[in-house]
Amino acid sequence: MIFQNENSYEIKEKIEQSQVAILPLGAVEAHGPHLPLGTDNYLAEQLAERVAGKTGALVLPTLPYGQVWSLKNFPGSITVSNQSLISLLCDIGVSLHHQGFQVFVMLNGHLGNAVAIKEAARQLYETVPNLRVLYLFYPGVKKITDELRETPSAHASYFHACEIETSYMLYLAEQYVDMTKAVSDIPDIPMSADVTPTPWEEFTATAVLGDATLATKEKGKAIIEVALANMVKLIEEAKRSLGK
């Protein structure tokens, strides 16, 4: 159910029935020549709608701007600070709790948001302890991803516009993908990039971290369905814990 499409006269009862609000979080940033700037927004939105369909949750309007410091110098990228994100997420969480929601799910499509989301969840834990807060980013997909990928990951923690993320887009938002422009760019990311601020233009000119030409809808479906099942499970567990 799409929250912004509801009206004020009926929403109170629907909040009481649902109890769960899902906030898709994304970013506007470079994703190579074959994917749009809003890739993370499209992925978060599509995931949120699918999860809502299985849990009865209400999907909030997407928060489309994220912390993209690493890619801020690429054309089209728009970044906001962690501090801004934390403040906004905390304000939203408190307001949702005031409206009667008991579970707040921050469904993230952009890894760069992770630090702010986790800190916001901790602050909400302190300020509104009765609100269950989940922060989800493709949970439990490492095994299936390792089995399906044909090229090694360019980095141990993050992926970007590569075989994997492009496969996600082919499954969830194929209309925005131009595979005729997909490239293979597997950069040598130095160890120092994990321990010091490192703009990505220092190791990639494309913003692609892998071989996007190997992406397929089938890979995307296999991985995404695992993530969806895990997200649904976590939300249902949170709902069952209410009142305990």
Side-chain angles (χ1 to χ4, degrees):
M1 191 182 304
I2 305 302
F3 187 80
Q4 66 182 355
N5 293 344
E6 301 300 318
N7 66 66
S8 180
Y9 281 71
E10 300 172 349
I11 194 61
K12 183 177 180 180
E13 181 179 353
K14 292 181 179 181
I15 290 173
E16 291 174 351
Q17 293 173 347
S18 171
Q19 301 182 320
V20 181
I22 300 178
L23 175 65
L25 291 103
V28 178
E29 64 174 358
H31 275 82
H34 65 298
L35 295 179
L37 296 169
T39 288
D40 297 338
N41 293 327
Y42 294 129
L43 292 175
E45 289 170 354
Q46 290 298 314
L47 289 168
E49 291 185 17
R50 283 165 169 76
V51 171
K54 296 176 181 295
T55 61
L58 288 162
V59 180
L60 302 171
T62 301
L63 184 58
Y65 300 108
Q67 189 277 104
V68 296
W69 184 92
S70 298
L71 283 157
K72 67 180 181 179
N73 295 323
F74 282 79
S77 295
I78 299 174
T79 187
V80 299
S81 68
N82 280 328
Q83 291 82 358
S84 295
L85 274 179
I86 292 167
S87 295
L88 185 56
L89 291 171
C90 286
D91 287 348
I92 291 171
V94 171
S95 186
L96 290 171
H97 183 256
H98 178 71
Q99 286 292 326
F101 283 104
Q102 298 188 62
V103 180
F104 177 27
V105 180
M106 293 182 277
L107 201 161
N108 186 25
H110 172 62
L111 184 59
N113 294 333
V115 170
I117 290 173
K118 188 172 185 177
E119 178 58 28
R122 287 174 170 175
Q123 291 188 24
L124 287 168
Y125 181 85
E126 301 291 339
T127 57
V128 279
N130 292 330
L131 180 68
R132 298 289 191 275
V133 181
L134 287 76
Y135 41 96
L136 305 178
F137 183 75
Y138 304 105
V141 301
K142 184 180 186 306
K143 183 175 183 293
I144 185 69
T145 302
D146 289 343
E147 291 173 355
L148 292 178
R149 66 162 59 251
E150 297 180 57
T151 52
S153 176
H155 189 272
S157 299
Y158 47 78
F159 57 92
H160 194 75
C162 56
E163 174 185 359
I164 301 305
E165 190 170 35
T166 304
S167 292
Y168 291 175
M169 282 291 285
L170 286 172
Y171 178 49
L172 294 175
E174 185 177 15
Q175 68 271 33
Y176 298 113
V177 183
D178 186 350
M179 287 301 291
T180 67
K181 296 180 180 178
V183 299
S184 176
D185 182 9
I186 307 176
D188 182 13
I189 303 175
M191 187 183 299
S192 60
D194 289 333
V195 297
T196 188
T198 306
W200 279 18
E201 64 264 24
E202 293 188 11
F203 54 76
T204 177
T206 66
V208 176
L209 303 186
D211 190 348
T213 68
L214 296 176
T216 67
K217 182 184 292 188
E218 291 72 26
K219 291 176 186 174
K221 179 179 180 179
I223 300 171
I224 290 297
E225 290 302 320
V226 171
L228 287 172
N230 288 326
M231 286 190 274
V232 170
K233 178 182 179 181
L234 289 164
I235 292 170
E236 293 297 342
E237 288 175 351
K239 289 166 65 176
R240 287 193 295 271
S241 73
L242 295 175
K244 293 184 180 179

